[in-house]
Amino acid sequence: MRQFSVAFLFSCISFLSIHAQGIEFFHGSWEDALLKAQQEDKIIFVDAFTTWCGPCKNMAANTFTAPEVGEYFNANFINMKIDMEKEMGLEFRKKFPVNAYPTLFFIDGQQEIVQKSVGAKNAADFLILGQSITGKYDKSKKYEKAYADGDRSYKLVYDYVAALNKAGKPSTKIANDYIASQTDLTTEENLKFILEGASQVDCQCFDVLEKHKSNIIKITSEQMFLDKVRQASENTAKRAIEFESPELIELAAAAMKRHIPSEADFFKSKSELKYALAIHDMSRIDELVNTHVKKFVKNDPEGLHQMALDLNKYAADNKPCQTLALTLAEKAAKGDDPKYITTYAQLMHKSGSKQEAIIILDEAIRKYGKEEDSKDLQSLKALKTKIENS
């Protein structure tokens, strides 16, 4: 079994996400956020910021917009941005003092601070922070003893399975055992249990989910059913990496094909690429990346840019992969976003072409030269100086 965090690997490879977006912030009142946190059993993430804070602006522009951050935080937290110098912020500070910006709060539905972190973080570090928070908020222990002592009541087993799923722990045996003990799976309670319990494609509970699809949709919604199929498929693809079992990807892709055919090809392509990166199967990376680019991100600068970053990160010691990363970065840089140009120049410099990297930056500096106070322009100049002095 691979000795690495599969969850972290999956969340980091953001260009492969089906829903590539940043954090979606909740815009209601603090009281509304607390109620929502209680109802959904989630922690509230609060970005305590001010409009004049430079690091706050940097997080807003580069960290909160990262697709991998959005994917994880949207699924696991109620997210809020609160200006500490406006009405809501002034009230918030009475209960939760803030002495530096940004301050990142993680608060539960009873207004207890789970964790507080001061200072800006890049996307990778912020994601690790979020994952550590959800790990601490593991409620499964609360139900474990009662279950071990023989409590098989619907509420206890449902809550136990839901807590295990939320914590990313195995729940299939408990879910399957409960399903096997039932004589009527069409009751509303049992249909809701099936929806919660189908955490993997390769489990009995998922087979039952498919069998009772129409009844489950009637009491919930089609969207909830499809979200469960996506989640179970993603979980199964993760297990493919964890246990080095590529056949699990085929099972997950087949489930996507049956229920969400419009996303199935994308899912299979990105899952196979994740698998190859995870097990360092460099012989297939070039083919898989080129296929994925051609089919799904050919004209998407952000997708090309992120793919270049991920290749550079996960295949740093593989020259063909680094050459491919440089090619993708060059294509992305044509989108004229300064961050894409910066990455292209950095990879060019890393490849040993120092002068070409400087030329790339000179062209960008001329383009943004009229914006003397631009943060992007200053960053480009700083990178040029750094490369010149290297």
Side-chain angles (χ1 to χ4, degrees):
M1 189 181 298
R2 293 279 165 182
Q3 300 300 310
F4 55 78
S5 170
V6 175
F8 179 71
L9 172 65
F10 264 63
S11 58
C12 281
I13 307 177
S14 61
F15 73 88
L16 298 172
S17 301
I18 291 177
H19 304 292
Q21 58 185 10
I23 291 181
E24 295 175 349
F25 287 98
F26 180 71
H27 297 293
S29 67
W30 178 244
E31 291 72 22
D32 290 338
L34 286 172
L35 180 60
K36 188 174 175 67
Q38 292 164 7
Q39 291 173 338
E40 298 182 14
D41 194 21
K42 289 183 177 179
I43 294 172
I44 304 170
F45 159 62
V46 177
D47 170 30
F49 75 99
T50 66
T51 56
W52 48 262
C53 165
C56 300
K57 293 177 182 177
N58 183 52
M59 282 201 76
N62 300 306
T63 300
F64 299 152
T65 57
E68 69 272 25
V69 169
E71 182 179 9
Y72 193 82
F73 272 71
N74 294 339
N76 292 284
F77 299 99
I78 309 299
N79 303 295
M80 295 191 77
K81 286 177 65 68
I82 303 180
D83 186 337
M84 292 294 106
E85 295 182 337
K86 291 188 177 179
E87 185 176 351
M88 186 189 296
L90 296 174
E91 287 299 314
F92 181 88
R93 291 174 65 177
K94 291 178 182 178
K95 185 170 181 61
F96 307 102
V98 180
N99 300 311
Y101 302 102
T103 295
L104 312 174
F105 286 97
F106 294 87
I107 302 169
D108 67 20
Q110 285 68 50
Q111 300 199 69
E112 296 294 329
I113 296 176
V114 178
Q115 188 156 326
K116 173 181 174 182
S117 179
V118 177
K121 297 186 180 298
N122 61 32
D125 290 340
F126 185 56
L127 189 58
I128 292 172
L129 174 63
Q131 291 170 333
S132 73
I133 300 301
T134 53
K136 291 178 182 178
Y137 199 61
D138 177 7
K139 288 189 172 183
S140 64
K141 292 289 184 183
K142 175 180 175 182
Y143 309 108
E144 184 177 7
K145 185 177 186 306
Y147 186 85
D149 289 342
D151 188 341
R152 295 297 184 271
S153 64
Y154 171 82
K155 186 174 185 341
L156 185 282
V157 181
Y158 181 93
D159 288 345
Y160 189 22
V161 168
L164 288 168
N165 289 343
K166 186 179 288 291
K169 293 182 175 181
S171 67
T172 53
K173 184 180 186 309
I174 295 167
N176 289 343
D177 287 349
Y178 177 83
I179 292 296
S181 73
Q182 300 300 297
T183 57
D184 183 4
L185 294 176
T186 63
T187 66
E188 184 170 337
E189 278 192 346
N190 280 342
L191 290 172
K192 288 181 178 178
F193 182 90
I194 292 165
L195 183 66
E196 178 61 46
S199 60
Q200 302 282 346
V201 167
D202 59 326
C203 72
Q204 178 189 355
C205 204
F206 192 85
D207 294 338
V208 177
L209 177 82
E210 292 186 294
K211 181 178 178 180
H212 294 281
K213 174 180 178 179
S214 60
N215 288 330
I216 289 171
I217 289 175
K218 282 179 185 177
I219 66 166
T220 57
S221 69
E222 183 176 18
Q223 187 60 52
M224 290 181 70
F225 177 86
L226 296 180
D227 284 346
K228 175 54 70 171
V229 172
R230 289 188 186 96
Q231 182 184 66
S233 299
E234 291 286 354
N235 289 344
T236 303
K238 290 176 185 179
R239 287 181 65 241
I241 291 176
E242 185 177 359
F243 296 102
E244 296 188 23
S245 302
E247 64 274 8
L248 290 176
I249 292 176
E250 295 296 329
L251 287 176
M256 290 291 290
K257 193 75 171 178
R258 288 194 297 274
H259 300 288
I260 320 175
S262 63
E263 297 177 11
D265 289 343
F266 180 91
F267 172 84
K268 185 175 183 181
S269 175
K270 57 100 173 182
S271 296
E272 289 177 340
L273 184 46
K274 286 178 180 179
Y275 185 87
L277 282 168
I279 68 169
H280 297 280
D281 183 4
M282 297 309 168
S283 64
R284 297 194 65 208
I285 296 289
D286 185 80
E287 174 195 350
L288 291 170
V289 169
N290 279 303
T291 298
H292 196 81
V293 168
K294 183 178 180 180
K295 287 187 175 181
F296 303 109
V297 296
K298 184 177 181 180
N299 298 312
D300 175 18
E302 176 59 31
L304 293 167
H305 173 251
Q306 190 60 55
M307 189 178 292
L309 289 176
D310 289 329
L311 281 169
N312 183 54
K313 180 175 182 178
Y314 292 105
D317 57 348
N318 184 275
K319 188 170 182 179
C321 286
Q322 290 305 299
T323 300
L324 181 56
L326 186 59
T327 299
L328 295 172
E330 181 182 12
K331 290 180 179 179
K334 293 177 181 177
D336 288 334
D337 187 312
K339 73 177 181 180
Y340 303 158
I341 296 170
T342 296
T343 296
Y344 180 35
Q346 288 173 325
L347 291 179
M348 183 64 77
H349 181 226
K350 181 180 177 181
S351 73
S353 302
K354 176 177 178 178
Q355 196 54 43
E356 288 187 45
I358 292 172
I359 291 172
I360 291 167
L361 291 169
D362 278 337
E363 291 177 354
I365 289 168
R366 281 195 295 271
K367 179 172 182 178
Y368 294 98
K370 295 180 181 179
E371 305 172 24
E372 284 297 331
D373 296 327
S374 164
K375 177 184 173 183
D376 291 329
L377 179 61
Q378 298 308 315
S379 296
L380 291 166
K381 287 182 175 179
L383 178 59
K384 179 188 173 184
T385 300
K386 181 179 178 180
I387 291 176
E388 285 176 331
N389 294 331
S390 65

